[in-house]
Amino acid sequence: PPLLTSLLAAHQGRAVPTLLRCMESSHRGIAKEAAWAVSNLAGAPGRAGCEAVLKAGGGPVIVTTLKDGAFDIRKEAAFALANLCAGGGGGRGEPATLTQLVGNDPDALRTMLDLIRSVDMEAAALGLEFAEMVLQVMPGGRTALEAADGIDAIESVEYRGPSELQLYAIQLVDKYFGADYDGDMAAS
């Protein structure tokens, strides 16, 4: 988007690193707002926001925040990670980014999938959407999801929460682990 591109250009590469440093702040409000801003930047239509975040070294900062932050900050980091892995707003998933950020870090994937079990239904929905992206796009995604207890996480929604999430969870299990699924860990 022209506004995003001009904003990033105007700050000559300083804005995103500053936001990432703020995500690491011990001040909860600053960390949360910075994570929110990074999430929105990564979620902007097109690739420019994602590229700016990745170029500034945002992947590891987001993953660390996702694993170690307070829940509200972790949730914002989860949105940022999902947006990065999707390839920006409207993206369907970037296999290389998924592999780099969660495929090579089972704890990051497990933390994203733990959102599915959250009592926060927005976080649970995000976790389900992320699980679907992993299953659809990431090489070896089904195997990685199984290893991170993702099937149990998805099934945990089938009996709680809004009916839309229950139906979504049932559809994911049926589509990726249904009658045709034989548990072959070599399949992706």
Side-chain angles (χ1 to χ4, degrees):
L3 178 61
L4 177 62
T5 304
S6 61
L7 177 67
L8 292 173
H11 292 284
Q12 300 173 353
R14 295 186 311 261
V16 179
T18 300
L19 285 171
L20 294 170
R21 281 193 302 279
C22 288
M23 278 183 69
E24 298 174 314
S25 172
S26 60
H27 188 281
R28 186 179 185 136
I30 291 172
K32 181 179 178 181
E33 293 303 318
W36 176 85
V38 169
S39 172
N40 280 287
L41 182 60
R47 295 269 319 138
C50 288
E51 289 171 5
V53 172
L54 290 170
K55 182 179 176 185
V61 174
I62 292 168
V63 168
T64 298
T65 302
L66 174 68
K67 292 180 193 177
D68 299 335
F71 179 78
D72 58 336
I73 300 168
R74 285 195 337 257
K75 184 175 164 184
E76 294 298 338
F79 275 107
L81 182 63
N83 288 336
L84 277 181
C85 291
R92 298 193 129 328
E94 295 286 330
T97 305
L98 274 162
T99 300
Q100 175 189 358
L101 297 178
V102 296
N104 295 328
D105 187 344
D107 290 335
L109 179 57
R110 184 170 280 110
T111 302
M112 283 297 287
L113 296 173
D114 282 347
L115 292 173
I116 297 170
R117 293 183 176 96
S118 172
V119 296
D120 181 313
M121 289 300 112
E122 185 180 37
L126 175 62
L128 286 171
E129 291 166 4
F130 193 80
E132 183 174 28
M133 183 173 26
V134 167
L135 290 165
Q136 285 180 346
V137 177
M138 189 172 94
R142 189 166 74 180
T143 301
L145 194 119
E146 287 175 330
D149 297 323
I151 299 169
D152 290 337
I154 294 169
E155 288 177 337
S156 75
V157 178
E158 290 181 15
Y159 305 104
R160 68 170 178 83
S163 59
E164 302 85 38
L165 286 186
Q166 291 177 1
L167 181 59
Y168 188 20
I170 290 167
Q171 290 170 341
L172 284 177
V173 170
D174 287 349
K175 182 175 182 177
Y176 295 100
F177 305 101
D180 295 335
Y181 176 65
D182 63 5
D184 181 8
M185 295 295 279
S188 60

